[in-house]
Amino acid sequence: MARKALGPATLEIVQAVRAVAGHPMVAAVSGGADSLALAFAVAYVCSSTEQPFAAVTVDHGLQDGSADRARAVRDQLVDLGYDDITITRVSVGTGSGPEAEARTARYAVLDHEAAGRGADLVLGHTLDDQAETVLLGLARGSGPRSLAGMSVRSGHRLRPLLGIRRARTRAACAELGLDFWDDPHNADPRFTRSRLRARVLPVLESELGPGIAEALARTADLVRADADLLDRLADDLLASARWGSDLDCAVLAGADAALQTRVIKSWLTSSGATETSYERIRAVAALITDWHGQGPIDLPGLTVQRRGTLLTPEPQ
């Protein structure tokens, strides 16, 4: 890649990618401003360090002309210096809604391509995406792990742009002469995140003053640190409470509720439960803290009952 002076927005994005670089990288590129600016930075940084890099575009086939747009993305990636480019067409189901199904299909492809190259998967989520995630978690009452939002690194997945506003990626594309695409789904009021982006956050900014997105992202950072500590403590407690596949109520009875609920959720999931709602976790917790001979608790995929001092899972 030819070296030239970088504009201020582009430099900011390059520095964010450089801060997490060190392994081969696979950039997830949709053709939007976030992912194209990210793709440039990945190629720029990896070229300077002689690390392999690649790009993957997932065509969900949900809109007319999606195949043509994917090919246009490929052309821009070639111009950015990519010679390892994958375009994959996926089928999107309808079971849990188009947003969730598309996300599941997309990550299956992206994770597979990154794993096949022994590379980090680099995603273009920005500070704005983080703020939206936190607000959605708050509205759904999903608990601190949801409010913790996304991490810059989560296993092999990297999100280096979480401290950068969406407007900066658009500015970077303008500096670089990149032709990005605005996905109409991002403004479609049928989707919850789209309504939050177009209606809710602007109202909050108007009524409470500027800086709401930054405040929500900062909240995620603070909550994540606390949640990570509690998760580590809960892992230790779970190891002490396990008796084979069972759970020892005597060990958990005196535990703080914040740890107890985490242990129960982790144990239920590892035992085969396919859904662990707040209400169901509370019902299982009552078998430990309010035991008076009540019957088993049914969860999707699992039944839990108490025998003596042990909770026993029984797959359905």
Side-chain angles (χ1 to χ4, degrees), residues 47-286:
S47 294
S48 68
T49 59
E50 299 184 347
Q51 284 282 4
F53 61 96
V56 179
T57 296
V58 179
D59 176 7
H60 300 92
L62 295 175
Q63 300 169 9
D64 293 338
S66 63
D68 292 334
R69 282 190 292 274
R71 286 190 289 270
V73 171
R74 175 194 286 273
D75 292 341
Q76 293 205 82
L77 289 169
V78 170
D79 291 340
L80 291 178
Y82 285 82
D83 56 23
D84 184 353
I85 303 168
T86 300
I87 297 176
T88 300
R89 179 77 174 250
V90 296
S91 297
V92 177
T94 59
S96 56
E99 284 180 293
E101 294 286 344
R103 182 169 56 251
T104 298
R106 178 169 64 253
Y107 276 110
V109 171
L110 296 173
D111 288 336
H112 173 76
E113 295 294 336
R117 293 168 174 81
D120 286 329
L121 173 63
V122 193
L123 303 159
H125 297 113
T126 65
L127 185 147
D128 297 79
D129 296 305
Q130 182 79 299
E132 292 161 10
T133 298
V134 173
L135 200 53
L136 283 171
L138 182 63
R140 293 166 176 164
S142 302
R145 180 47 68 187
S146 179
L147 297 184
M150 298 173 281
S151 302
V152 171
R153 176 177 285 278
S154 179
H156 72 285
R157 295 179 182 175
L158 296 179
R159 296 179 173 90
L161 307 188
L162 286 181
I164 295 175
R165 294 300 302 264
R166 186 176 292 138
R168 297 300 280 169
T169 67
R170 300 174 77 92
C173 286
E175 292 170 358
L176 295 164
L178 295 174
D179 184 17
F180 61 84
W181 175 62
D182 283 320
D183 186 347
H185 279 179
N186 290 335
D188 191 329
R190 291 178 300 166
F191 302 123
T192 303
R193 186 178 284 268
S194 299
R195 294 195 302 274
L196 187 151
R197 178 177 301 174
R199 302 174 184 175
V200 178
L201 275 170
V203 169
L204 290 176
E205 292 273 358
S206 174
E207 295 298 324
L208 300 180
I212 294 299
E214 288 85 354
L216 289 167
R218 185 167 60 251
T219 296
D221 290 340
L222 295 170
V223 173
R224 190 181 315 113
D226 292 348
D228 288 347
L229 173 59
L230 288 171
D231 284 348
R232 290 194 296 271
L233 294 174
D235 288 343
D236 292 341
L237 182 59
L238 175 58
S240 300
R242 272 191 180 278
W243 283 80
S245 62
D246 296 343
L247 206 59
D248 191 339
C249 298
V251 174
L252 294 177
D256 186 273
L259 296 178
Q260 192 181 86
T261 55
R262 280 172 166 78
V263 168
I264 292 171
K265 181 179 178 65
S266 179
W267 175 71
L268 290 173
T269 301
S270 66
S271 297
T274 57
E275 181 183 328
T276 54
S277 67
Y278 174 68
E279 291 76 14
R280 289 188 169 97
I281 290 175
R282 287 191 63 186
V284 173

Side-chain angles (χ1 to χ4, degrees), residues 241 247-254 287-288 306 308-311:
L247 206 59
D248 191 339
C249 298
V251 174
L252 294 177
L287 295 178
I288 300 170
R306 177 163 173 164
T309 63
L310 298 178
L311 292 187

